[in-house]
Amino acid sequence: MPSRTWAPPAPYDLARTLRVLRRGRRDPACRQEPDGTWWRCSGTPAGPVTLRISDDLAAGGLITGRAWGPGTDWALEQLPALLGADDEPDAFRPRHRVVAVSLRKHGGLRLARTGLVMESLVPSVLEQGITTGSAHYAWRRLLNRYGDTSPGPAPEGMRIPPSAAVWRMVPSWEWHGAGVDRSRAAAILRARSYAPRLEEAAAMALPEAMARLQFLPGIGPWTAAEALQRVLGAPDALTLGDLHLPVQIGYALTGARGGTDEEMLQLLELYAGQRYRAARLILLGGRLPNRRANRAPHSRIAHL
């Protein structure tokens, strides 16, 4: 089968880099095996593809991608970007002790870039205002019912996310059965109607891409940032409007409880251009006020 290898700079953490792309441990479109192998099923501009990604330590730490399906050439061409080759972590400078400690421990983290907007936008809409577990259930149920069978030898149960045309066919009772309210379903259907224009955001700079996504009602700064963190691998795509993130950032950097977006922006001003990376490192540092945030709406801890 066609394959491609990429030699990452040392250190490199494949699991931390790709984990943000997985919507729960039972995500039908993205899965990590016990041996560290990753499987991704995507609908690319060239067609569906199944991608197997493994870290071959015996070959000097090379990352190997093997692909099946019509989207094989596209997926392998994009493989280095997906693995974070376009990211520039050396541009980051820690300004707080907790960030410096986390960076030393998680220096292999890179920001993945998928280049696929709808693939990240739909699950981000599903995550609006509900618990992470509920959003993952909705994503899993909808993919199991409307996703296509993945090409090649993907693990049983994996699915290609529905195309824009297929999302339009989901009846109202299926949205309801998945726990998706009318406003989120409507936002996804609107995005489906403008999918070609939204996909253009994958080639835009972050400010323009944010504006393109937020043009649609139901897509606000929280949802746009969550999607573009994955689509662009944008180091400054900080999530705003999150219930817990300002509290977590504030506690980690100051020890104070409570916090607002405005206070978080002030604390992260030293990281201008790298605020999303700084936030990820802060959360990976583990100095958090309440572990129960894992189960609360808008929590990003589960994706780190």
Side-chain angles (χ1 to χ4, degrees):
M1 79 292 297
S3 66
R4 181 175 183 176
T5 60
W6 178 65
Y12 180 75
D13 190 330
L14 178 63
R16 289 291 185 198
T17 297
L18 295 184
R19 194 163 296 165
V20 296
L21 306 181
R22 187 183 66 183
R23 308 288 179 160
R25 294 184 182 276
R26 298 167 61 193
D27 184 348
C30 187
R31 181 174 301 179
Q32 183 184 21
E33 300 282 37
D35 65 358
T37 298
W38 284 83
W39 292 87
R40 271 178 50 80
C41 297
S42 298
T44 77
V49 67
T50 296
L51 182 64
R52 181 184 184 272
I53 304 171
S54 59
D55 185 346
D56 191 350
L57 297 177
L62 293 177
I63 309 298
T64 301
R66 295 179 174 85
W68 296 262
T72 288
D73 291 344
W74 189 95
L76 293 180
E77 181 179 355
Q78 298 296 318
L79 179 67
L82 177 70
L83 297 173
D86 295 339
D87 189 22
E88 298 179 350
D90 292 342
F92 182 78
R93 295 291 181 270
R95 305 295 184 180
H96 298 85
R97 183 177 182 277
V98 66
V99 180
V101 171
S102 183
L103 181 61
R104 286 196 295 271
K105 185 177 180 180
H106 303 288
L109 169 69
R110 285 187 167 237
L111 302 182
R113 179 178 185 135
T114 69
L116 298 170
V117 174
M118 290 293 290
E119 178 184 272
S120 291
L121 182 60
V122 170
S124 295
V125 172
L126 293 176
E127 291 173 354
Q128 292 175 354
I130 63 170
T131 63
T132 301
S134 297
H136 290 169
Y137 168 76
W139 176 246
R140 187 168 63 248
R141 173 169 170 148
L142 291 167
L143 261 63
N144 285 337
R145 289 176 179 261
Y146 293 97
D148 288 334
T149 302
S150 55
E156 184 179 357
M158 295 202 72
R159 295 288 185 270
I160 302 294
S163 66
V166 172
W167 282 120
R168 183 175 62 87
M169 298 169 59
V170 178
S172 59
W173 59 86
E174 289 287 5
W175 293 111
H176 179 75
V180 181
D181 59 40
R182 186 177 299 178
S183 63
R184 285 181 292 145
I188 291 171
L189 293 176
R190 278 192 294 269
R192 186 275 318 168
S193 299
Y194 292 92
R197 293 283 288 163
L198 295 176
E199 292 292 347
E200 292 174 359
M204 296 178 179
L206 179 60
E208 290 75 21
M210 288 286 291
R212 177 63 62 89
L213 267 59
Q214 291 180 82
F215 173 78
L216 289 180
I219 310 296
W222 187 93
T223 306
E226 288 291 314
L228 293 174
Q229 288 163 7
R230 298 159 172 82
V231 176
L232 300 178
D236 203 43
L238 179 67
T239 302
L240 298 177
D242 191 273
L243 181 61
H244 299 292
L245 186 61
V247 177
Q248 294 161 346
I249 298 297
Y251 182 83
L253 296 185
T254 70
R257 295 183 180 271
T260 65
D261 276 350
E262 290 73 21
E263 292 168 342
M264 178 176 67
L265 289 171
Q266 290 178 1
L267 289 171
L268 296 180
E269 188 174 359
L270 294 170
Y271 299 101
Q274 295 278 336
R275 293 174 298 176
Y276 167 54
R277 191 193 310 276
R280 283 204 66 187
L281 288 169
I282 290 167
L283 296 183
L284 284 170
R287 190 169 184 258
L288 304 174
N290 188 347
R291 287 293 185 179
R292 288 178 299 176
N294 271 335
R295 300 188 296 273
H298 300 166
S299 173
R300 310 315 309 154
I301 302 173
H303 298 297
L304 296 176

